[in-house]
Structure formats: structure tokens, C-alpha cells
């Protein structure tokens, strides 16, 4: 394994760019390959077998075509469904997943009422059920499946994003800092941070939004150092957004321009996108 090998990152579409943004800030000299599986999105509304098949195929492509030295599964649904099997099939590959940030939210809440927005696939998974069980008694979690929201963000359909944010926040009850109100909101899909401003406006300024980007990035650095994976400039400190110097390769199974536009919009980069076979 060489320091010059890239780290692979994949998601069902553009949502994982929220994780990639944090990774590039935490590991600014690393090379990354980002795979958007937009041709098969959204994962949260597909069955387990389909998600697992895509996770296996993408992992194989990233290993064989891009020679990755580590993999970040930047998708809550794919993590819940597939990470244990992908790890078993590739024991020498460091693999990092994501999960809804219930633990940090339980530590932050003062009213002990936490809203959780996630895909139906994530909320129905055994992995999520185990996470929820582990936090029994720490808070009341109001679970809100958000059908269509990831897809609307994927397509940058602003009117639909607004309508769905209205609908799903209303479905969780009252938000605020008083007893009985939800004071912490977990963004349990990597797409949802890109609607954070809209969500904050609907739940109010006192409600804390919690996502997984920075914790996942810090965990990735720690795991790679623990596993003695050679890094480019391992001691380089985190940087502000936009200060990364490592190369970024973009791959999509859907229309390349959709990923290219999302990268322009959210990472402020203009890069070519290779379409996966």
C-alpha cells in the first residue's frame, strides 16, 4: 500500500458530498475518488438485495480501477445494509461507514426529545434498531421517514425540497427549548445537510441540527493511522473548506453533469466526471 493511493468514497448520489467535504478538510493532502451511484438512487427506497448488490459492485470497481487504500461508505442506508458483508469480503481494506448521529444528539438534548430524519431503509434496518436500543432511556427519539427528500435534493428540485421539509418537520411535532418540545434534530441521511438552512428555518434557531460529516472525517483519520495506512502528509492539520490540495476524481453511474453541478455548488470545484460503465 502506497501513500499516493486514493481513498474511495461512495453514496447513492450526491448526498455523500457532505461527508467528502468534511474528509477533504480533515485530510487535505489525501487523494479521493468519489462515486455517485445516481443511476440507482435512491437507496433508501430500494430493497436490501439491490443495495447490497450495488455496494459490492462499487467496492469492486473502486478497488480494481482506482486502487483505493480505504473506503468510506458515505450513505446511511448502504452502511446499515452492507458494511458488515463488505468488511467480511475485503478484510484487508479499512472501511468506514456512517450512521445517524443519535449518540451525539442524546448528549446534546436538554428536553430529552430528539427528532430523527432518515430514509425508510435506514430506519427499518437491524443496525439502526441496535443503535436505538443502545440509547434506551437517554432520550425519546421521534423517527421520521422522509420518502422523496433525498431524491429531491439529488435533483436539486427546490420547490419539492421545500414542500417535503415543511411536511416532515410538521410530522415530528413541536420544536423548541421547552419541556415536551424537540430541541435536537438528527439529519440521518447524507443528503439532508444540503437542506440544513431550510430545515433550520422551519424548526427555529434554538434547535440544534446534528449530522455526521465531521465525526466521520475524524474517525477516518484515526482509523487509518491506527491501521498504519500510509497517508500523504499524515501530520497535516485540518484546513478550512476549499484548502485541500489532494486530487479528487469523480465517477457517476448516472448523468455526469448532475454530479459536476453538485460539486460546483457544494464544494466550489469544477471537475470532469467519468461515467461508470
Amino acid at each position: 500500500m502506497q501513500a499516493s493511493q486514493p481513498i474511495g468514497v461512495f453514496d447513492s448520489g450526491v448526498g455523500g458530498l457532505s461527508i467528502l467535504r468534511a474528509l477533504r478538510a480533515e485530510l487535505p493532502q489525501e487523494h479521493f475518488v468519489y462515486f455517485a451511484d445516481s443511476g440507482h438512487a435512491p437507496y433508501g427506497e430500494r430493497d436490501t438485495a439491490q443495495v447490497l448488490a450495488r455496494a459490492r459492485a462499487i467496492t469492486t470497481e473502486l478497488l480494481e480501477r482506482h486502487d483505493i487504500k480505504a473506503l468510506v461508505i458515505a450513505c446511511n442506508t448502504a452502511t446499515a445494509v452492507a458494511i458488515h458483508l463488505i468488511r467480511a469480503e475485503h478484510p484487508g481494506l479499512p472501511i468506514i461507514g456512517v450512521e445517524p448521529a443519535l449518540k451525539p444528539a442524546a448528549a446534546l438534548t436538554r428536553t430529552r426529545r430528539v427528532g430523527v430524519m432518515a430514509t425508510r431503509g435506514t430506519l427499518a434496518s437491524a443496525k439502526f434498531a441496535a443503535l436505538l436500543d443502545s440509547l434506551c432511556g437517554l432520550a425519546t427519539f421521534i423517527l421520521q421517514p422522509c420518502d422523496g427528500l433525498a431524491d429531491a435534493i439529488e435533483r436539486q428540485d427546490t420547490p419539492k425540497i421545500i414542500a417535503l421539509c415543511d411536511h416532515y418537520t410538521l410530522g415530528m411535532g413541536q420544536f423548541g427549548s421547552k419541556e415536551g418540545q424537540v430541541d435536537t434534530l438528527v439529519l440521518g441521511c447524507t443528503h439532508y445537510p444540503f437542506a440544513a438552512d431550510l430545515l433550520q428555518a422551519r424548526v427555529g434557531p434554538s434547535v440544534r441540527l446534528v449530522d455526521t460529516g465531521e465525526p466521520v472525517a475524524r474517525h477516518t483519520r484515526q482509523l487509518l493511522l491506527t491501521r498504519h495506512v500510509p497517508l500523504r502528509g499524515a501530520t497535516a492539520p485540518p484546513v478550512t473548506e476549499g484548502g485541500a490540495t489532494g486530487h479528487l476524481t469523480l465517477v457517476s453511474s448516472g448523468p455526469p453533469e448532475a454530479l459536476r453541478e453538485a460539486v460546483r455548488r457544494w464544494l466550489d470545484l469544477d471537475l470532469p466526471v467519468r461515467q461508470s460503465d
Side-chain angles (χ1 to χ4, degrees):
M1 194 176 289
Q2 304 295 320
S4 59
Q5 291 173 249
I7 297 169
V9 183
F10 84 84
D11 180 39
S12 62
V14 303
L17 294 175
S18 64
I19 302 294
L20 178 65
R21 183 169 57 186
L23 286 165
R24 296 183 77 237
E26 184 70 25
L27 296 162
Q29 298 188 45
E30 288 302 305
H31 300 321
F32 288 93
V33 179
Y34 183 84
F35 190 111
D37 198 19
S38 300
H40 300 87
Y43 282 0
E45 295 164 38
R46 292 189 177 274
D47 64 40
T48 298
Q50 290 175 304
V51 175
L52 179 57
R54 290 306 303 158
R56 281 174 159 156
I58 293 165
T59 301
T60 297
E61 179 166 339
L62 289 171
L63 282 166
E64 293 183 352
R65 292 196 174 184
H66 300 280
D67 194 26
I68 61 170
K69 63 186 178 186
L71 176 66
V72 179
I73 302 178
C75 173
N76 288 273
T77 301
T79 297
V81 168
I83 194 168
H84 59 297
L85 293 172
I86 301 297
R87 282 174 172 159
E89 292 170 357
H90 303 279
L93 181 68
I95 301 175
I96 300 92
V98 299
E99 65 181 17
L102 269 60
K103 292 178 185 177
L108 287 169
T109 182
R110 295 294 174 263
T111 65
R112 298 185 66 187
R113 291 184 67 80
V114 176
V116 182
M117 298 178 65
T119 67
R120 196 169 293 275
T122 293
L123 297 178
S125 69
K127 195 172 189 298
F128 181 83
L131 174 62
L132 198 61
D133 286 346
S134 73
L135 300 171
C136 183
L138 296 181
T140 297
F141 294 95
I142 295 89
L143 309 183
Q144 179 61 61
C146 297
D147 296 341
L149 182 54
D151 185 52
I153 294 169
E154 186 79 21
R155 294 183 288 103
Q156 300 182 41
D157 184 344
T158 301
K160 188 167 185 180
I161 295 169
I162 291 171
L164 291 174
C165 286
D166 286 341
H167 178 66
Y168 292 134
T169 52
L170 284 171
M172 284 182 282
Q174 288 193 327
F175 287 86
S177 57
K178 297 179 181 178
E179 184 178 354
Q181 295 180 327
V182 174
D183 71 347
T184 307
L185 179 60
V186 174
L187 307 184
C189 170
T190 55
H191 283 73
Y192 300 168
F194 295 124
D197 289 346
L198 290 171
L199 290 167
Q200 192 77 71
R202 278 146 185 79
V203 301
S206 68
V207 175
R208 283 168 288 198
L209 305 188
V210 185
D211 66 60
T212 56
E214 290 183 7
V216 166
R218 289 193 298 268
H219 176 61
T220 299
R221 173 192 276 271
Q222 182 179 24
L223 178 65
L224 297 183
L225 291 174
T226 301
R227 294 278 294 267
H228 304 292
V229 175
L231 300 177
R232 299 179 74 246
T235 59
V239 299
T240 57
E241 186 180 335
T245 59
H247 298 151
L248 174 58
T249 300
L250 302 173
V251 185
S252 178
S253 63
E257 189 54 37
L259 177 57
R260 187 171 185 177
E261 176 55 34
V263 170
R264 283 195 201 106
R265 182 176 183 180
W266 291 321
L267 272 61
D268 197 25
L269 296 170
D270 190 1
L271 298 172
V273 177
R274 183 180 70 80
Q275 188 156 18
S276 176
D277 296 338

